[in-house]
Structures are given as C-alpha cells and as structure tokens.
Amino acid sequence: MLITPPSQLSYDMRLGADFFARDALVVARELLGTVLVHQRDGDVRAVRIVETEAYRGPTDLACHARVGLTKRTRTLYGPPGHAYVYLIYGMYDCFNVVCFGEGKGHAVLVRAGEPLSGIPDASRTDGPGRMTRALGITRAHDGFNLRESSLFLAPRATRPKMTTTPRVGVAYSGTWAEKPWRFYETGSRHVSRPSPRQIGLGS
C-alpha cells in the first residue's frame, strides 16, 4: 500500500480536532490505518497503526478513569487530541489518544503498528511497549498535543479490514473484560499475539 513518506508529512495532513472529538469506540476503529509519527532531532519515525483498544470513561472498569481525577489520570481527563502515556509493569510506556471530550475520561490505547520509517531493524512494534520503544515515545510525551507537536497522527490512505476481540489484560474488570473493544487489522503480521488467557476473562 502506498502512502506519503513520513518525511513529507505536513501540518495540513495531521488529523484535526473533529477526529478526536468522538467516543473512544469510534476513534479506536478509525485509528486503524492512520500513521503515528514522531519527529525528533531531524529523525522521523513512523508506523501505520494496526491494533487499538477503546477505553470509555469512569463507568468502564477496565479504564484508568474509573479511579477519578488523579495526578496519573489528569491527561486522560483532559482535552481530546492529546497523548496519554503511562508506565505498566515498571518497564513499558503505553501510548494512548485522549478523545471524546474534556472530563469524559475516554482514550484509545494504540497496541501495535507496521513500521514505515526510521524504525531500527532490531526493533519490534507488535505490542504497546515494543511500539513506543521503537518510536522513542516515553512518559515525557504525556500531555503532548497531537495536532501541534512533534508527535502526531496523519490520515490513513485506505480503510483496512478489521477483526474485533475483547481487550487484553483486563480480567480484573469483570464483565467489562468481555466487551469487544479491541480492534486490529485482519491478517497483519504486526499485531500483538497475546495468550488466550490474557484476552477478556481468559479461557
């Protein structure tokens, strides 16, 4: 599939405010195929997003918003179109897109991407922690405006075929774990490969 090289992406090609001002369930689907770009010190790293998960505010017991407004969730409860980056397992940074509206606590976790530009040969992007490491995204990017910073999203060229499953690693949320809110590009070799025990309530 041909797309504009990341080095040629311009501000005009960035996803606009209207894209982010929607429910996480909508944005999670629409992010598939878009391009996540990180520019730093003349280096351009980019992936085409192939896997996402929707997290839908304080009533979603798998979402960080369930604990209310805290120092950690401040960005999550902030305006849409910003990066929400947090640490898991003491070692992995996870990149999320805040959406819907300020105070809503909606976000989309970007779980995997297909390398397009600047990704080191030895790096993998088939998982949320691997992807952020390959792109050079860290907690220092928490709160970045995705429309006006060196970290941004560009529109997709085509709408990929999509597969839906329950989310990964959220069995603690009970029945919420079974919500079919994980989306990935059908047939992509770059999606994550979680154990069946990690999906939904497990098997």
Side-chain angles (χ1 to χ4, degrees):
M1 179 178 67
L2 296 176
I3 66 167
T4 302
S7 60
Q8 296 178 22
L9 293 172
S10 67
Y11 180 83
D12 293 336
M13 295 183 68
R14 301 183 184 208
L15 296 177
D18 289 347
F19 180 92
F20 304 106
R22 298 178 290 177
D23 189 295
L25 200 56
V26 176
V27 176
R29 296 186 181 103
E30 295 299 310
L31 278 173
L32 291 182
T34 65
V35 181
L36 175 57
V37 183
H38 183 205
Q39 299 173 331
R40 61 173 188 178
D41 302 325
D43 180 37
V44 179
R45 298 188 182 191
V47 300
R48 187 172 64 85
I49 295 174
V50 298
E51 183 180 353
T52 62
E53 288 180 343
Y55 290 86
R56 302 180 71 199
T59 61
D60 177 0
L61 297 185
C63 181
H64 291 172
R66 70 186 183 277
V67 302
L69 181 62
T70 66
K71 182 178 179 180
R72 186 191 194 198
T73 64
R74 187 183 321 155
T75 301
L76 174 59
Y77 273 102
H82 286 69
Y84 172 46
V85 186
Y86 59 83
L87 184 72
I88 59 169
Y89 308 131
M91 60 189 299
Y92 298 117
D93 291 310
C94 292
F95 169 80
N96 299 254
V97 176
V98 178
C99 52
F100 200 15
E102 189 164 0
K104 298 289 188 181
H106 278 227
V108 175
L109 169 65
V110 179
R111 288 190 52 85
E114 176 186 348
L116 294 179
S117 175
I119 305 300
D121 291 339
S123 296
R124 295 174 60 177
T125 55
D126 55 343
R130 290 169 175 165
M131 187 197 72
T132 54
R133 187 172 296 174
L135 285 167
I137 297 173
T138 70
R139 277 165 291 159
H141 295 97
D142 182 54
F144 268 40
N145 187 328
L146 298 174
R147 296 183 294 115
E148 301 177 355
S149 70
S150 58
L151 183 63
F152 64 95
L153 290 149
R156 62 190 178 189
T158 60
R159 180 185 297 271
K161 186 176 180 181
M162 182 177 67
T163 298
T164 303
T165 77
R167 294 171 291 185
V168 178
V170 295
Y172 58 82
S173 64
T175 57
W176 288 91
E178 288 296 296
K179 300 289 185 182
W181 293 349
R182 174 185 175 228
F183 309 96
Y184 65 86
E185 182 176 328
T186 306
S188 173
R189 63 187 180 88
H190 299 285
V191 301
S192 65
R193 298 287 190 271
S195 160
R197 292 183 179 182
Q198 295 178 293
I199 299 174
L201 289 172
S203 59

